[in-house]
Amino acid sequence: MFKIGDFSKLSQVTIKALRLYDELNLLKPARIDPESGYRYYSAEQISRLNQILVLKNLGFTLEQAAVMLNGGIRTDQFREMLLARRKQLEENVRFEQERLLLVEARLRQIENEGGELMSQNEVVIKSVEPIRVYSLRDVIPTFSAVGGLFHRLYEDITAAGAKMAGPGIQIYHESEYKDHDIDVEAAFPVTGGSKLALHELPGIAKAACLIHNGSYEMLHASYALIGKWIEDNGYSICGNSREVYLKTDDQASDQSEYVTEIQIPVEKL
């Protein structure tokens, strides 16, 4: 028999961990002295301890390990848990690979362009949640005519006694750039208004997003910037772009104060 300190040295596991394994019914001392309270372990228990460490290294919690080792799980169930764990680890690897590419792209930017450490025009990857909206879709002659769509939206929402619950959103339903006869959809998140034909604007699993500050006439520069970022970071466009109008003429004194978020669905090449 070994005292807990000696068993800790022998197994290279801390006393704190051994006491925790005892509390969780993972590894009980072989004997506890009734008078002194000293815990004693046997050499045979190292095999059990190694099983705990293997499961821990596989990423299972100690609670899960206790269930498995105490006979509460079948072999086929253990196999399913391992498959699920493998899938989770593969997702983690993919995520870290994407993060590595972002770091490499930022290093290239610093080396090739220099300049500020962080600029205001930063492209970020994020998910966009689905949202209930009232929208109108039409083919408009030019981009400037989209204001008419939003005006019609406002009139419909007001007439229905509903309220706008967020900024306006514009979705481009075109597979290429067009400067006339453009298929666009204008939408507002809405509360109330049971007479309105609301629908769910689908979420975006992964969107490259950029905040544009200033007039709409200069949006093309921000699109060029986000396009270069998408290419440099190994993504491809996989859906229709959106513009979210965070600050418009009803909140700004002039167009230089407009704030628009560009959202472009992307996927890894």
Side-chain angles (χ1 to χ4, degrees), residues 7-243:
F7 188 72
S8 170
K9 294 176 184 178
L10 185 65
S11 62
Q12 297 187 341
V13 174
T14 66
I15 291 177
K16 181 179 179 181
L18 290 173
R19 286 174 175 163
L20 177 61
Y21 298 162
D22 181 11
E23 292 174 10
L24 296 175
N25 200 31
L26 264 171
L27 185 69
K28 290 288 187 182
R31 185 173 72 86
I32 298 178
D33 188 295
E35 296 183 3
S36 64
Y38 288 164
R39 306 174 189 214
Y40 292 90
Y41 293 83
S42 67
E44 289 78 10
Q45 287 182 289
I46 292 179
S47 175
R48 168 83 171 195
L49 181 57
N50 286 340
Q51 291 178 323
I52 297 170
L53 298 178
V54 167
L55 292 174
K56 186 179 176 183
N57 288 336
L58 287 172
F60 293 107
T61 66
L62 293 177
E63 289 76 12
Q64 290 172 321
V67 172
M68 290 184 234
L69 294 178
N70 292 331
I73 189 168
R74 302 189 308 272
T75 301
D76 59 329
Q77 292 174 319
F78 182 45
R79 180 178 180 276
E80 290 300 317
M81 293 179 72
L82 283 173
L83 289 172
R85 181 60 183 155
R86 182 176 70 181
K87 183 177 180 181
Q88 180 185 7
L89 290 171
E90 289 172 346
E91 288 295 323
N92 292 344
V93 169
R94 278 194 289 270
F95 176 79
E96 293 301 332
Q97 286 175 335
E98 291 184 15
R99 178 175 285 177
L100 177 60
L101 289 174
L102 293 176
V103 170
E104 290 175 345
R106 181 52 61 90
L107 285 171
R108 288 195 301 272
Q109 180 183 352
I110 293 173
E111 291 167 0
N112 296 335
E113 302 174 12
E116 298 179 10
L117 179 63
M118 299 287 286
S119 70
Q120 293 183 350
N121 296 323
E122 292 290 336
V123 178
V124 298
I125 294 290
K126 68 179 183 181
S127 61
V128 178
E129 295 296 321
I131 188 169
R132 294 282 291 177
V133 299
Y134 175 59
S135 71
L136 292 173
R137 181 174 174 177
D138 201 355
V139 177
I140 57 177
T142 64
F143 283 112
S144 60
V146 74
L149 272 182
F150 279 104
H151 183 69
R152 285 163 53 192
L153 278 178
Y154 177 77
E155 289 182 335
D156 290 349
I157 292 169
T158 302
K163 292 183 178 181
M164 292 176 289
I169 305 168
Q170 181 172 264
I171 306 100
Y172 290 99
H173 294 282
E174 294 287 0
S175 59
E176 60 180 302
Y177 174 78
K178 295 172 67 176
D179 57 8
H180 65 279
D181 298 331
I182 312 149
D183 185 0
V184 301
E185 181 179 0
F188 272 118
V190 171
T191 57
S194 58
K195 297 179 181 179
L196 294 174
L198 303 182
H199 71 95
E200 185 177 88
L201 186 62
I204 304 174
K206 194 173 291 185
C209 303
L210 175 67
I211 297 296
H212 170 81
N213 296 280
S215 68
Y216 302 139
E217 285 76 11
M218 294 304 297
L219 272 168
H220 64 88
S222 289
Y223 271 99
L225 181 63
I226 198 172
K228 184 177 185 304
W229 187 95
I230 289 171
E231 183 179 52
D232 289 347
N233 288 275
Y235 288 90
S236 63
I237 297 173
C238 62
N240 297 318
S241 64
R242 301 178 184 179
E243 292 174 7

